[in-house]
Amino acid sequence: MKPAILSPNLSALPQLSVDDIGQLADLGYRSIIGNRPDGEAPDQPTWKTIKAAARARGMEAVHIPIVVSEINAADIRAFREALERLPKPIAAFCRTGTRSTLLWALANEEGLSADQRIEIAGNQGYDLEPFRALLTREATNA
C-alpha cells in the first residue's frame, strides 16, 4: 500500500482492506473517505467493515460513494465538506484511487488550475487528462 499524495492533507488509494486501515493509522492518517459503492466486486469489504476498522483505530470515516459517469455537484460538495471538517491527514479510496483523485481535483480546495491538478494527479499515477473539460468547467463555476 503506497498512498498517492495529492495535497498535504489528502492521499488517494485503491481499495482498502481491514489490515490497510491499521497501516494508515500507523502512518498518522486520522480520517478515511470511501468513494466506492458497496457491492462493486464480490471480494471488496463492505463500507460497514471498513468504517468499524477505522473507528477501532480512532479514525473518522465518511462514505461518499460515487460512479464517475453520475458524479454531480452534491458529490463534489460532500467531498469538499469532508475535506474541511475531517481530522487530517485524510486517506480517500475507491477501486483504483481514480475516483478519489477526481473528487479531490473537482473539490479543488487549494484553488489550483486544471493543469496543476492534472499534473499533480499524473505525478502520483492517476491520469485525469480525460476529465480536463470537466475540471476546467468546475473551476469556472466555483
Side-chain angles (χ1 to χ4, degrees):
M1 176 191 67
K2 183 178 182 294
I5 309 297
L6 301 174
S7 78
N9 293 324
L10 181 72
S11 297
L13 296 123
Q15 178 65 57
L16 296 177
S17 70
V18 171
D19 291 339
D20 292 332
I21 304 295
Q23 290 178 34
L24 287 171
D26 292 343
L27 289 171
Y29 285 89
R30 298 180 60 212
S31 302
I32 293 172
I33 300 173
N35 298 125
R36 189 174 191 192
D38 274 339
E40 276 192 335
D43 62 340
Q44 84 184 69
T46 64
W47 174 249
K48 183 177 178 180
T49 300
I50 294 291
K51 183 176 181 177
R55 293 273 168 96
R57 293 300 303 256
M59 301 170 77
E60 295 289 324
V62 174
H63 198 207
I64 307 169
I66 66 157
V67 175
V68 170
S69 62
E70 299 172 6
I71 197 165
N72 58 54
D75 297 325
I76 298 164
R77 188 171 42 258
F79 194 81
R80 188 179 293 128
E81 288 169 0
L83 292 177
E84 290 172 2
R85 71 175 176 76
L86 288 172
K88 292 155 185 65
I90 301 165
F93 77 92
C94 55
R95 186 180 68 81
T96 64
T98 301
R99 279 177 274 197
S100 297
T101 300
L102 178 59
L103 277 171
W104 160 78
L106 290 167
N108 196 20
E109 71 173 343
E110 294 91 4
L112 303 172
S113 70
D115 286 338
Q116 290 170 312
R117 290 174 280 157
I118 290 168
E119 181 180 359
I120 290 167
N123 289 341
Q124 295 299 317
Y126 294 105
D127 181 13
L128 295 187
E129 189 62 46
F131 304 102
R132 179 177 288 280
L134 179 61
L135 292 172
T136 302
R137 187 171 56 247
E138 265 314 303
T140 58
N141 291 336

